[in-house]
Amino acid sequence: MLKADLHVHTRYSKDSTSPTEKVVQRCIELGINCVAITDHDCIGGALEVKGIAPFKVIVGEEVLTSSGEIIGLFLTEEIPPHLSAEETVARIKSQGGLVCIPHPFDRFRPHSRLHRDALERIMPDVDLVEVFNSRTLLKRDIARAVELARSYGLPGTAGSDAHVTQEIGRAYIEIPEFNDAGQFKTALLQGVISGRRTSPLIHLYNVRNRLIKRLGRS
């Protein structure tokens, strides 16, 4: 079985300073042997981790569309931000990727969660729903994500949404081995999710990380 954290950020994200080699080291320490690197609007970090990790790495991207965020998994090409939700989905699908909706009902992320109307429009083309995100604070928001996946008969994913290495593994899903996107989707149907919610104070790291990067460029 694989122990998979399916939502992890590296220094390639604007609000993370986690070096890719430390992400790999932390995964090894925790026994995480499958990880989806989902940096904001780029796949450079995912490709770098894939090149150095001794375990399975899914190349992903958390894309900011004009209506909120969508995650693409099993990508080979970077998808630009600020496209419509429909165009983003089309670009993920065109390269054989899977469309995942992250933190769909997290009320504390009004600017990043996908807008309700866009979510309803693209749901027929969605492959996966993130049903447990460690940074989603309220149990009822998690429960709504579970119900969304169930109502559409979709597999659920789980991830720490780690922006610092200490967060990695706060949430994970144990799944059978897989070789491609199709097998991964099937494996998730047998998945067992474990995890805990992160303290709200962790979001202060995002503010710190953005500030560090701004100062580094000045």
Side-chain angles (χ1 to χ4, degrees):
M1 297 288 284
L2 296 172
K3 186 176 177 181
D5 186 341
L6 299 175
H7 193 157
V8 174
H9 295 267
T10 76
R11 64 181 179 86
Y12 283 76
S13 285
K14 61 183 179 295
D15 50 2
S16 173
T17 57
S18 299
T20 52
E21 63 273 12
K22 289 191 175 182
V23 169
V24 172
Q25 179 182 345
R26 182 65 173 163
C27 287
I28 292 171
E29 290 171 356
L30 296 173
I32 299 292
N33 56 359
C34 176
V35 66
I37 302 297
T38 53
D39 283 316
H40 295 292
D41 305 322
C42 71
I43 63 171
L47 294 174
E48 195 170 295
V49 172
K50 189 177 180 69
I52 62 176
F55 48 77
K56 195 177 293 288
V57 176
I58 299 169
V59 176
E61 180 183 352
E62 190 166 25
V63 187
L64 181 61
T65 76
S66 59
S67 302
E69 291 176 336
I70 295 173
I71 285 179
L73 298 176
F74 295 90
L75 301 182
T76 56
E77 297 178 11
E78 197 165 279
I79 298 169
H82 310 306
L83 302 173
S84 70
E86 290 86 348
E87 177 63 19
T88 300
V89 167
R91 293 197 183 204
I92 293 170
K93 296 281 191 178
S94 71
Q95 51 187 292
L98 299 178
V99 175
C100 177
I101 306 302
H103 44 73
F105 299 109
D106 191 332
R107 67 195 66 198
F108 294 109
R109 301 194 232 194
H111 302 297
S112 61
R113 72 168 185 261
L114 196 63
H115 299 172
R116 177 64 64 84
D117 58 341
L119 179 63
E120 292 175 353
R121 291 197 307 270
I122 68 167
M123 277 307 298
D125 295 312
V126 169
D127 299 292
L128 313 167
V129 175
E130 185 179 60
V131 297
F132 191 94
N133 179 303
S134 286
R135 287 186 166 214
T136 296
L137 302 179
L138 298 180
K139 288 183 179 179
R140 59 182 175 271
D141 292 347
I142 295 171
R144 290 179 70 193
V146 171
E147 180 54 35
L148 177 67
R150 183 181 295 123
S151 65
Y152 281 87
L154 297 175
T157 71
S160 62
D161 201 354
H163 286 69
V164 294
T165 55
Q166 296 94 319
E167 291 182 272
I168 294 171
R170 292 270 174 93
Y172 60 88
I173 182 168
E174 293 181 276
I175 56 175
E177 289 276 357
F178 62 89
N179 293 314
D180 56 31
Q183 289 183 11
F184 173 72
K185 193 172 178 179
T186 300
L188 286 174
L189 294 172
Q190 304 175 57
V192 177
I193 293 172
S194 299
R196 63 192 189 280
R197 286 171 291 162
T198 302
S199 165
L201 295 177
I202 201 69
H203 292 281
L204 295 176
Y205 278 103
N206 292 48
V207 177
R208 182 205 66 171
N209 292 337
R210 286 192 183 99
L211 181 60
I212 289 171
K213 290 193 168 186
R214 284 200 190 108
L215 291 175
R217 288 196 297 267
S218 62

